[in-house]
């Protein structure tokens, strides 16, 4: 792809360019090149901005996957809730190699993760990087796939590996029970996430589902986007469960009473997949690396189906497809759904010659910065144009190549 070529070009100039290595790794993982992808993903710790993303560093020997009997290993979560949910699946394999496994994670996940095999102790994520006393080794959670040499054939995809609390499931059963086909909705992720403007939707985008006979909709949304419920007419019948969902264990129990979960790319879709529940994940045209390309299933979650944008920003087309498949599903009442049309997912990108307009030399850095700002504002076409103009003037700048690849 054009993005990959630009990262390669940046590395020709600076072989130790961490951002280029990491960004190339996400393309490798997206395309299924796991071997080089996992190696490159380790460059995240050398990125300039990683200190802001995950500021904690532990002064302990790094675990390399070898037997550690009689020792205490600290496995710490990093990045988002969904990343932790996705990769705790490796902890039984870690435990099989040694002594005591201590998982450090965010407090709102702790109750939900109690059922995961391979965890001996669980502690709250530290704000200062001070690990539990007596730990001998440390490893980041998202380094485990690379340590175990994961490829498409060896992904530990057995689900469920999370289990909801029985008492909470019973509580929600009394509130949700009915003869309708119950669908839980999550329409937005964390607004602070860098690409949230691409992955999140508006609740109003989902309202075509309310016209499907025999369907009952439930809102599972948390965070600022939950306020969109006030804009939805009561005639839709959408039931808001969000105020009662205190943590992920509550959400898991509510989900266990649903016939289907429909979610954008956020932690909730990982939770449903880890619980082994039917879940449909709605993806932007340029998806996160874990969803790969050209497929409507996920090698990580057997009960998940992927619906992809054919073109950037086209959520209407995604919802049209969801409505068609869901209508057939309700008519047949088959839990796994009917085979539907596969959403297109080819990524069309432009190379560095795009709008190659000469600019004065002193403006190239400004154009580059304006391009990054445009990307953050949700305008990738403008971003592409601006960074391409910066490259047109200064074709020896590895940062511009790296930024161009990121936008592609």
């Amino acid at each position: 792809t054009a993005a990959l070529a630009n990262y390669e070009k940046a590395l020709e100039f600076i072989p130790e360019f961490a951002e280029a290595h990491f960004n190339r790794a996400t393309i490798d993982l997206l395309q299924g090149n796991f071997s080089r992808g996992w190696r490159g993903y380790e460059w995240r710790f050398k990125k300039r901005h990683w200190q802001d993303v995950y500021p904690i560093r532990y002064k302990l020997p790094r675990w390399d996957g070898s037997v550690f009997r009689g020792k205490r290993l600290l496995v710490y979560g990093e990045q988002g809730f969904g990343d932790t949910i996705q990769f705790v699946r490796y902890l039984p394999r870690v435990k099989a190699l040694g002594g005591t496994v201590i998982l450090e994670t965010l407090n709102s996940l702790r109750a939900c993760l109690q059922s995961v095999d391979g965890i001996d102790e669980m502690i709250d994520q530290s704000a200062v990087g001070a690990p539990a006393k007596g730990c001998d080794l440390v490893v980041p959670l998202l380094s485990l796939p690379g340590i175990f040499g994961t490829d498409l054939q060896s992904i530990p995809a057995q689900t469920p590996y999370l289990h909801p609390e029985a008492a909470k499931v019973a509580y929600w059963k009394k509130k949700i029970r009915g003869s309708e086909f119950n669908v839980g909705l999550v329409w937005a992720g964390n607004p602070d996430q860098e690409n949230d403007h691409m992955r999140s939707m508006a609740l109003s985008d989902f309202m075509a589902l309310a016209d499907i006979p025999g369907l009952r909709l439930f809102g599972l949304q948390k965070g600022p986007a939950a306020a969109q419920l006030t804009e939805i007419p009561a005639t839709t019948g959408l039931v808001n469960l969000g105020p009662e969902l205190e943590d992920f264990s509550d959400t898991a129990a509510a989900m266990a009473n649903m016939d289907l979960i429909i979610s954008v790319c956020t932690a909730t879709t990982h939770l449903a997949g880890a619980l082994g529940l039917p879940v449909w994940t709605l993806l932007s045209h340029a998806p996160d690396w874990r969803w790969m390309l050209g497929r409507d299933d996920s090698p990580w979650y057997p009960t998940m189906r992927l619906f992809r944008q054919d073109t950037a920003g086209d959520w209407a087309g995604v919802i049209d497809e969801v409505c068609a498949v869901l209508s057939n599903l309700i008519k047949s009442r088959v839990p796994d759904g009917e085979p539907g049309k596969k959403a297109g997912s080819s990524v069309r990108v432009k190379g560095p010659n795009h709008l190659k307009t000469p600019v004065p030399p002193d403006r190239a850095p400004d154009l580059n910065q304006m391009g990054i700002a445009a990307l953050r504002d949700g305008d990738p076409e403008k971003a592409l144009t601006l960074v391409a103009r910066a490259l047109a003037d200064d074709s020896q700048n590895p940062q511009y190549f790296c930024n161009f690849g990121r936008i592609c």
Side-chain angles (χ1 to χ4, degrees):
T1 66
L4 193 60
N6 279 278
Y7 298 142
E8 299 281 7
K9 188 69 174 179
L11 289 170
E12 289 180 13
F13 288 108
I14 305 178
E16 299 296 306
F17 193 0
E19 277 79 4
H21 276 287
F22 176 81
N23 292 346
R24 184 180 70 176
T26 63
I27 298 295
D28 285 335
L29 295 171
L30 184 74
Q31 296 178 341
N33 182 6
F34 282 11
S35 180
R36 188 174 75 169
W38 297 128
R39 292 195 305 273
Y41 202 69
E42 291 301 296
W43 282 85
R44 66 192 185 278
F45 297 106
K46 296 183 179 180
K47 290 176 63 180
R48 289 177 301 167
H49 301 303
W50 194 255
Q51 193 74 13
D52 297 328
V53 177
Y54 194 82
I56 298 172
R57 296 290 184 275
Y58 292 112
K59 295 180 180 179
L60 288 170
R62 176 77 172 268
W63 184 61
D64 61 2
S66 57
V67 173
F68 63 103
R69 291 190 181 93
K71 295 183 178 181
R72 291 169 58 84
L73 171 63
L74 177 68
V75 183
Y76 66 88
E78 51 173 319
Q79 303 183 51
F81 294 115
D83 299 284
T84 296
I85 293 170
Q86 181 176 2
F87 293 107
V88 291
R89 70 181 70 212
Y90 283 91
L91 295 182
R93 299 184 65 176
V94 174
K95 177 62 180 176
L97 291 171
T100 303
V101 176
I102 303 106
L103 175 67
E104 184 196 65
T105 189
L106 295 166
N107 185 61
S108 57
L109 279 173
R110 286 188 62 175
C112 178
L113 300 180
Q114 290 290 342
S115 62
V116 176
D117 292 335
I119 301 175
D120 295 303
E121 301 174 23
M122 202 180 312
I123 60 175
D124 287 341
Q125 187 174 86
S126 170
V128 295
K133 292 182 179 179
C135 289
D136 302 296
L137 301 164
V138 66
V139 68
L141 185 62
L142 270 70
S143 292
L144 296 180
I147 287 173
F148 287 107
T150 303
D151 58 24
L152 276 174
Q153 288 67 46
S154 64
I155 290 174
Q158 298 80 10
T159 59
Y161 57 87
L162 296 185
H163 305 277
E165 297 177 32
K168 289 186 176 182
V169 173
Y171 169 81
W172 284 108
K173 183 176 182 180
K174 293 177 182 178
K175 302 197 71 166
I176 295 173
R177 63 186 176 186
S179 60
E180 297 96 343
F181 191 89
N182 297 324
V183 177
L185 300 180
V186 179
W187 50 92
N190 180 355
D192 294 330
Q193 205 261 10
E194 184 177 19
N195 294 316
D196 187 65
H197 63 280
M198 296 176 60
R199 65 170 180 170
S200 288
M201 301 172 62
L203 175 57
S204 58
D205 294 332
F206 285 83
M207 286 303 97
L209 275 64
D211 296 329
I212 300 175
L215 187 69
R216 192 180 186 199
L217 300 176
F218 293 86
L220 302 174
Q221 183 70 46
K222 298 293 289 183
Q228 296 175 28
L229 283 154
T230 61
E231 305 167 5
I232 301 302
T235 53
T236 62
L238 191 151
V239 181
N240 181 20
L241 304 183
E244 288 196 66
L245 304 177
E246 296 294 332
D247 62 16
F248 282 93
S249 68
D250 294 328
T251 304
M255 283 181 169
N257 288 283
M258 301 290 170
D259 296 293
L260 176 67
I261 309 300
I262 302 178
S263 174
V264 296
C265 173
T266 190
T268 317
T269 202
H270 290 282
L271 181 61
L275 291 164
L277 301 175
V279 54
W280 293 357
T281 303
L282 314 186
L283 300 176
S284 69
H285 186 58
D288 192 65
W289 61 263
R290 71 201 74 218
W291 307 124
M292 308 185 68
L293 297 172
R295 57 192 302 162
D296 59 9
D297 67 331
S298 168
W300 298 95
Y301 300 111
T303 60
M304 181 178 290
R305 176 169 181 166
L306 307 177
F307 291 79
R308 301 174 182 267
Q309 287 182 347
D310 282 322
T311 56
D314 182 23
W315 288 121
V318 172
I319 291 297
D320 286 345
E321 184 181 4
V322 167
C323 286
V325 179
L326 187 53
S327 295
N328 289 334
L329 172 58
I330 294 174
K331 291 175 184 177
S332 63
R333 300 292 293 202
V334 178
D336 290 333
E338 295 286 337
K341 181 182 69 175
K342 186 174 184 179
S345 59
S346 58
V347 178
R348 294 180 288 277
V349 297
K350 300 182 178 77
N353 289 326
H354 177 55
L355 295 178
K356 189 173 182 179
T357 305
V359 295
D362 59 346
R363 288 193 58 200
D366 292 337
L367 288 168
N368 176 65
Q369 290 301 317
M370 290 165 61
I372 297 305
L375 182 63
R376 289 173 182 157
D377 292 338
D379 192 343
E381 283 296 323
K382 181 179 179 181
L384 201 68
T385 300
L386 289 165
V387 178
R389 291 176 64 193
L391 264 174
D393 184 72
D394 185 359
S395 62
Q396 304 299 306
N397 190 307
Q399 184 64 62
Y400 298 169
F401 277 102
C402 191
N403 290 343
F404 195 90
R406 174 184 167 199
I407 298 167
C408 288

